[in-house]
Amino acid sequence: MEFEPLTECRFIEKVKERDKVGVWGFGNVSRDVVLTLVTEGLGKEIIFYGRPKEGYPNRAGAWIEDLKANTVRRPRMMGTNKIEDMAGLDVIFIGVGVPRKKGQSRRDLLQMNARVIGETSLEIRRLYEGCSATDIPLLIYMGNPVTVMTWVGYKTTGFPKKNVMGQAGNLDSRRICHAISQELGLSGTDMRGIVFGEHGDSMVASPRYFSVGGVPLDVLARAEGMDPKRIEDVIENAKKGGTHFVNETGQSASAGPARAACDMLRCMIRGEPEVQPVIAIIEKEYGLLKKDDGLDSMSFGVPAKIGPEGVEKIYEIPVEDISEQMERSASIIKEDTKIASELLKEKFGI
């Protein structure tokens, strides 16, 4: 049998993957992120960096060796106390910052964590200076108040805005989904939702942007004969889930935040874009930044397409029914952003 020779080389387009993953910071959330990545088979190489501490020079190294000893299937893993080992990565989860304690709000940590995250972001900037756009890693921040800290990371690294994002929306929407599913007597596994704005008291969440089994929540609630006010009360209470955890345990949550962060990481590592609630850098989106704000950008929780290219698209969906709440949330974020901006100028000259 004769075959006609090909006149040109044919390729099957390969899905872009970002499988060299860094986890920066030795806190509880970071350790849970590493564990989740390993157990779910995410990433071919994981580098875990922990800053040296007096008497404990390489905590991340010891932690990784113990994990290796107790993991059958694992990627290449290294725990290190050397910043230079964090070069050449595709995506970095940044879990540094002082956690909340009982009686503290996320905003109470603003100035302290702006310094910590500013310093970390400068170290990342130095590591990747001179790299081409394709070699700059994607960054996911998770230090409180994470909405503004994401902007601090963006300004300090100087990375493209699509490369910088924060995790809070998945965590917040899941807490709300769980609370509503409990109210409805459902498992909640088929429930999805989107939240907007700040990861904090001014977070914007409406039944309109949640669904159960593909059915809009407000429609399902009416079919169940539930008072709409009851659903709103459940949502408002669930928005305080992080504060409730701190008050009950004396420390910040780690398992839930790590799980939520890994949902974002999965989209990037496997090259499978999804629409998720993300803290993204915005400029003109939703008309929240005004000329007299004195800011050229801000961070804000929005629905976005995230994948191997980072924040690939921000969706501007109809928000007329929550526009006042979004403006209120934006005003709080802008106020905190200006405080952080002054600190960056004073401490880092940025």
Side-chain angles (χ1 to χ4, degrees):
M1 183 181 294
E2 294 185 2
F3 294 93
E4 185 178 340
L6 295 175
T7 57
E8 60 181 20
C9 189
R10 297 178 184 175
F11 294 95
I12 297 174
E13 186 176 352
K14 185 179 179 181
V15 174
K16 182 174 182 179
E17 297 178 346
R18 289 185 176 268
D19 48 23
K20 294 182 69 176
V21 186
V23 177
W24 194 303
F26 192 69
N28 291 338
V29 177
S30 294
R31 295 198 293 271
D32 282 350
V33 165
V34 173
L35 184 59
T36 304
L37 290 172
V38 172
T39 55
E40 299 213 352
L42 296 173
K44 294 178 181 176
E45 183 174 351
I46 299 172
I47 310 297
F48 184 22
Y49 168 73
R51 197 177 298 278
K53 186 177 180 180
E54 186 176 354
Y56 306 95
N58 192 5
R59 296 173 293 167
W63 195 89
I64 286 292
E65 288 306 309
D66 186 61
L67 181 60
K68 284 180 179 178
N70 291 280
T71 308
V72 177
R73 300 178 65 183
R74 60 177 185 259
R76 293 189 297 275
M77 292 188 288
M78 179 174 74
T80 182
N81 58 4
K82 298 176 182 177
I83 289 176
E84 55 266 32
D85 289 332
M86 299 297 281
L89 298 172
D90 294 319
V91 57
I92 303 174
F93 171 82
I94 300 156
V96 302
V98 178
R100 270 202 301 168
K101 296 178 181 177
K102 189 172 182 177
Q104 285 184 317
S105 72
R106 294 179 179 91
R107 296 181 75 193
D108 289 336
L109 303 174
L110 175 61
Q111 297 203 27
M112 186 182 302
N113 278 345
R115 291 186 180 89
V116 173
I117 288 173
E119 289 168 355
T120 297
S121 299
L122 272 180
E123 290 169 338
I124 293 172
R125 176 176 178 168
R126 295 187 190 108
L127 270 181
Y128 290 89
E129 268 183 334
C131 289
S132 66
T134 56
D135 292 329
I136 293 175
L138 306 179
L139 306 179
I140 300 177
Y141 285 88
M142 205 175 208
N144 275 317
V146 65
T147 314
V148 177
M149 293 303 104
T150 301
W151 182 87
V152 167
Y154 165 64
K155 279 295 182 181
T156 311
T157 60
F159 284 10
K161 63 179 184 178
K162 72 179 184 64
N163 285 59
V164 182
M165 65 208 84
Q167 167 46 44
N170 278 341
L171 177 64
D172 292 326
S173 62
R174 280 185 167 180
R175 284 171 172 166
I176 292 170
C177 286
H178 176 69
I180 292 172
S181 66
Q182 294 289 100
E183 187 72 18
L184 294 171
L186 300 171
S187 69
T189 56
D190 59 349
M191 189 168 183
R192 300 289 182 271
I194 293 288
V195 295
F196 295 83
E198 181 201 21
H199 177 54
D201 294 340
S202 72
M203 179 201 316
V204 183
S206 167
R208 177 180 174 185
Y209 304 103
F210 284 79
S211 65
V212 185
V215 180
L217 176 58
D218 50 358
V219 173
L220 187 68
R222 285 197 298 271
E224 287 278 1
M226 290 188 67
D227 183 351
K229 180 66 167 59
R230 177 57 188 157
I231 290 291
E232 291 175 8
D233 289 344
V234 171
I235 290 175
E236 283 302 311
N237 188 54
K239 283 165 57 175
K240 301 178 178 68
T243 300
H244 176 73
F245 188 95
V246 171
N247 290 341
E248 290 294 317
T249 66
Q251 62 185 23
S252 294
S254 62
R259 172 69 266 176
C262 285
D263 274 353
M264 293 179 69
L265 287 164
R266 184 190 67 252
C267 300
M268 301 161 198
I269 293 168
R270 291 183 175 169
E272 299 173 346
E274 291 183 7
V275 177
Q276 294 188 13
V278 177
I279 298 173
I281 304 301
I282 66 170
E283 294 170 351
K284 297 179 180 179
E285 291 88 353
Y286 289 100
L288 294 169
L289 271 175
K290 318 299 182 187
K291 288 184 179 179
D292 58 356
D293 284 330
L295 296 168
D296 59 5
S297 62
M298 65 182 287
S299 48
F300 200 80
V302 291
K305 175 185 176 183
I306 59 169
E309 300 299 328
V311 180
E312 299 182 5
K313 183 174 183 177
I314 294 173
Y315 293 100
E316 293 188 75
I317 61 178
V319 291
E320 293 82 3
D321 58 324
I322 55 170
S323 59
E324 289 185 10
Q325 295 166 269
M326 288 184 66
E327 289 286 354
R328 176 176 173 271
S329 189
S331 68
I332 291 172
I333 295 169
K334 285 184 278 191
E335 180 183 330
D336 288 351
T337 300
K338 290 174 184 177
I339 295 171
S341 179
E342 287 301 314
L343 189 146
L344 292 182
K345 289 177 186 176
E346 177 187 326
K347 187 166 180 64
F348 305 114
I350 295 173

